[in-house]
Amino acid sequence: MEAEEANQGPRWKQSISRLRQKFKGGANANVARLRRRKAMISSLTRRLPFFKFALFVVGYIWMLAIPSPRLGRGTYIDENALQPSQVNTYWNWGDVHAADRYLEQLEALRDVNSTSEQRAHFLETEFKKLGLPASTQNYNFSSSAGLITGTNAYALLGSPRGAGTEAMVISASWLSRTGEGDGTLNLRGISTVLALAGFLKRYSLWAKDIVFVISDGYLDGMHAWLSEYHGSTHKNLQSDPVELTSGVIWTALNIDYPGHSFSHLGVFFEGLNGRLPNQDLLNSFQRISRNTGHVPVTVYDHIDPREAPQKVEGLVSNLPKILQDNPEIQAFSYQAKNVARHIGYQARGRASGVHGLFHEYRIDAITIFAIPATGPHGFHAIGRIVESTLRTMNNLLERLHASFFFFILTDHDRFMKIGNYLPSAVLISIAMMIQGLQTWVRAGWKGEDETKLNEKQDGSSGVTPTQQPKRRPVGRALAIMTVAHLVGLVVFTALTQRLFIENIQLLAPIMFILLATIPFIMANTIGDTGPLSLVLKSFNLCLASTVISIITVLNFSLASSLAVFLGIPLSITSSSSSILTRVIKTALYSMLGFGWLLLGHREILSAVHDWEVLQVWFAPFVCLVYVPLALQALTVCVL
Amino acid sequence: MLANFKISLFFICNLCLLVLANSSEQFDEELSIKSLQDGKVASKFSFKTLLKGASPKDPRTLGTDDESQHYTLFPLGLGQILREYGVTELHLTLNAGNWNYGRWGYPEEKGVGPGAELWVWMGDGAPNSIDHRWKGLRNALAGLFCASLGSLDEQCTTSPVRSFSPEGVLPDWDLPHQIRHASLPSEHVCTENLTPFLKLLPCKSLSGIASLLNPHRLFDADWHGMGIHVLWRGKEGIEVRLTFQSIMDPSRSSSKQKQDWSLQSLFDRAIDRTCPIAHSSLISVSLPSSGAHSITPEPSRVDSGSAIFDVATVPKPFNAAMNWPSDFEYQYDTSLTPLKIQRTLKGSSQARGQLSLVIANHGQVSQQVVYLETMPWLVQFYLHTLKTSVNGAESDAVISNITYIPAIPHSRPTTFEAVLLLPARSTTRLTMDVTKAFLRYTEHPPDAQRGWDLPPAVFTPIHGGQSQNATAGLPSERIYTPALLVDLATPDFSMPYNVIIFSCSLMAFLFGSIFNLLTRRFVVVHVGSGKQE
Amino acid sequence: MTLMSSSKTPSPPASTLNFSVVLSALVAARVALTLTGLPDVLRDDHQLASPLTSFSQLQEGIYLFNHGVDPYSGGTFRHSPLFLTLFATILPNSPRICSLLWTLCDGLGAWALVQIWRARQNVTSSERDGLIAAVYLFNPYIFLPTLALSTSSLENTLMLILLMFAARGKASPALLGLAFLVHFSLSSIVLLSPILLLLNTDQFSHLASPRPLATSIRKVVPLLGEFVVYFCLLALSSTLVSGGFAWIPQTWGATLMLPDLTPNPGLWWYFFTEIFDHFRPFFLMVFTVHLLIYIVPVCIKFQHDALYATFILLGIVGAFKAYPTLSDPGLFLSMISLFPEIYPYLRHPIVTSLLHLHAFLLLPLFHHLWLNQGTGNANFFYASTLVFACANGAAIIDCLWAGLRIAIGKPVEGYSIVQE
């Protein structure tokens, strides 16, 4: 204590002496307080590992339980103005006949395999015959995969006595979404739209303008049209301006009717970058289809096996019979299928249909997909359903806004609120954060004491922390992370090169090997390790946890996949002495981090295409966030 | 005493007779019907009352109480308002829908902007200021026509002199005349506005042409608009013109596409009585230049391509009808007006956007137009980003003598007036970045957040000697663009308490911990067993 | 700039050259950054440019000024008349050249920061120079607003230069700089007293050995007078160039009245969006006074090290001012590199940095969710601003604790430090 006072300022000496003589009580109180605090901290630190473990377990179990029928709840309409299926529909067999006429002409066009321009011109003239102002739009994209060109046709039905400030869109793309636009034509969808144009024009009850868009290609046509409509420019897109504009678009319906007739209507809703439409739109369509059109609705094109018991597929098929018949299991397997499909779309930021392009312009849109079957439904049913849905959209007084954008649709009439699924990923990220902080403390302790000792010698002069051997090597850890992210940037720029795209088979493995070797290079250049690997590990964990917990709000599927891929692996990284374990770890972590370079060539191509044409940030995210995290984990192991 | 009373009574009766006898007021009504190229039918009612020899009230005499007015035909309620606020010229239009210039040509009454529009010319020099009178006037009119004109407050009032030149004559008191203009695109026009409108007519809707004004049909039209125009015709006197225009679609009701119409089919009524006090009461049907068609009954006379019926003479009940033998074929190759204007607010962000204007001039001659943009302060212009291009080529020569009055938040709208020179057969593009304001939560309307309607832009083509036209009362065209809808970012309306609590407690926490460190003293205590491991 | 550094510091040429090379390399890297597409994307970002500092507003004002419309007659132009005349006459206002100019200003700021460091350590050059410059130039809170051409970056540079002069004891230039700074952003008035204190004491670090203020307060008065004179001159000149007093409510009034509720990372905007109208004046007063409360205690507590007091108050202003941008806390964070002696005593550095990491990622994301994507509402962004405020507060508290704790010296086995 004397030594203490020696090198203290006079004020402190006085203070302490005063403290000494004046009240011992105060000192005791302080001591007691400190003791309490210490006891608390130590007990907390003792419980932490268990707590962390519990968080991990609960989080993962929660994720597995998401498809369970017990967790979700029935869908309902939140926006009172919608009033779904409360109207008499007027669509009748005459209009069905008109649709058939259009279909014949379209099939004739298809048989002479006409060009985009010819098709667009035909559609334009058909619209004009109906007395609607119509026009066409040429566009072309240039991506590293090549050039995409096409022509859209669109028409505008101004609402009588309407100020033309709001609009609804009915669209159909030339290519159906079956097989992500593999060439199946959406002729019936288009003829439905044409017939609807003639039909809707006869009524004066529209409060909003109605825009009919027949987009060329699969996604590209609508992307060009929307970009021009909203005046957003893309450097690789040249397209004519949209001549006929209406007001603000709130909602849009995309009709996809590839087959001859249909048994169910499937609803697709995932948009670009994991954006979802307002759930009210889905729910009201679902009700209308059930009550007005008497057509059953399914999520995606998954027909519920429970409707047709004879053919059992998916999870259930390889279970014992007794379990197969358990309704709970059946429901779970069916909903698990839906959730898996959902995550597949959302995590990759993929749009599950043409509707997905509307979302980035704050337009709520869904695709109505007529699942091909041999009957019983056709133009009559879909016409009535679309008419009634449009009437519902027409009722809207304001943009769909209730916090109905975050949900997982486990079944056509069941969904999970954000509160029921978000915590799963957040719990895991919390566990990772705890682990990271723990590692940080562990990295500090041994270092700190020596630090203080040799600080005692040289006093607190302006020496930087990085110069001191035994303190936490924060600087070097940050340097490693910076390098890792720069590497990620390089990888991304490489991926978007035409050269790479063309001979990906050869270059991807090379890149894989390079990535796998980088950590060794860093480790060798750094040399002396000490607590460095611990510090790096803790930083890595904290960064990963931060990323996961923040992405959950934007794109839950992506966040949960990250939590699955990174949660445990990053937590168990550790530098090991024996060569064998090092090699194994290296192999495992590099497969985890960059395995997609070896296995997922098609994925890479489509992701790059999505990035270049549709600005889907899945590819940059993987390169700039995921790869660096994996690199750092690998570095921790080899240090 | 009694004799005295008799005498006075006698004189009073004489006086009344005199008033009736000398026809110092004249009432003319007219209905003109025209078939449009897209199969729709445009009809225009016009009821004109002329107060002979009268002149607008001199604003200097507003302080003193007015000499008594005797109106027999002239609408009293309107006349009182005009004199109360010393209005020289007044134009009020209540329209629903967008006038499609390309298909329907220029309207006969050019005030076709969506929603409500009110503009007046008033002489200065009154005891109380013009803005004060303007406020009173719009509130009085709001009461008279059951329209929410009261909300045409200073936040949307401008003075665009170039675009709204007076249509009548301004009296040459040596006083400056000023214009006040405001429009309310979100105003919905319906029967509650038509009823007071009919009350202003001498025959109400009981007889004559006015009896065709059947709300059930009028408000089912594709476009309809009513207008009240008061202007001074110099020596002739003060003219009040009440108009009702509508665009109807005969093919909508019938499944087969024919453009046949009759008064019965359009208005679901026929004329059974003439209005006895109408000086003239005519129905003119403009005949198509080509194509086989038949019109019944035989018109009273035909001149300059339009059949004219004199309602006073035709047999009652009167129901004119026009028929075409063939079905109707749409053709849209020709735009009836040389100018095609498209005005949009691009961008889907709630923070900023881009105002984009595309003007196609199909005409064979280059055209000069006055471009008027009045914008509420909710949308603020970035004038330095104004870009103009002709046929894709940048050119600043397009736009000239700009007058710009920047907006003041919560009080004054932006006024942007400029002259555009549109070359022949060219497409001119204007773009300008705008930012959207962020409002206090009390400034948002309590109803559904549909967005905010922005008033239309107004284009006034400049011809040689447009000014003489104006003074001669021949109106030059005026082109209104559709209104725009802008949605502003909204705060969470259910949150005020939470926000106050969160923010305050956070600041209190930081404040507390900082002062805790600054004020309390550090002490060293002996805790015995070393650091916690 | 590198020439200046080498000329201003007569020192072993090797290290100076070394530093100047490093600095020029860093600045070159920053220039390269401006050549990417980034600036156009960030231009009007609400976190980087507030209505008082946005470059678009400045350009609009210049346009109106050049076309004979009084920019202050409208509602939206809130820049100082000095900026207006400066950019309307001398300086270019094409974004390309401006981004270069802004970057060079940042380089100048970095150089000034290093000069402060050297003055504080009383060395002509040290190995840390390059590091300090890098910490300033590559702090995202600093270079993102610069890419967005927010004038708050210029204010930062001004701040650093005047601090450099103050640290060297050059009173007049320091006070002139401060007058400019206060003229541009009124809330900087908070820094007046610590800087006066700094001019009366020395700039060396006395954190470890606190002592009562040696000099008398009376010496402050002439400096204060000098500052007032400069300030009035600036106000007068801006009144002359703008031809009227309309600029005062538009610029200084905005700081006090908060007329523009455009979102920013600060605490004010959403509070005053949601506040009830009849409480508005009261809370405006509270929030304004709240900034001033800290001056006296901080100056008293750190009377032995005025530079540190300035540093702390900078942090407080950055956290609590009316129209903050990311660059205001950024300056505070970068200035931590001036005080390595406190590092061992920081309370929870990892927590603070994690808070800042979260805030830095959340702010743009929730802003996008609310305004562009429309799936989130205003509360999302509000929540992220709360996180940001927590991060700033935590940083201030860390530095306060460390700055006071260091005086007691190293912890010893069996003893620990508490506040009674």
Side-chain angles (χ1 to χ4, degrees), chain B residues 54-92:
Chain B
S55 68
K57 185 163 171 62
D58 188 332
R60 280 165 300 195
T61 66
L62 272 179
T64 65
D65 47 0
D66 200 359
E67 72 273 11
S68 60
Q69 302 290 313
H70 300 291
Y71 302 135
T72 49
L73 307 178
F74 195 87
L76 177 62
L78 191 56
Q80 282 171 334
I81 292 174
L82 293 174
R83 294 194 70 81
E84 172 65 26
Y85 300 103
V87 178
T88 307
E89 178 168 334
L90 173 143
H91 300 270
L92 167 66

Side-chain angles (χ1 to χ4, degrees), chain A residues 1 4 34 275 362 464, chain C residues 128 372-373 412 415-416 419:
Chain A
M1 202 58 196
E4 282 295 319
L34 282 173
R275 209 277 207 186
R362 298 177 56 224
T464 66
Chain C
R128 262 178 80 83
N372 299 341
Q373 189 163 312
V412 178
Y415 292 90
S416 61
Q419 287 188 294

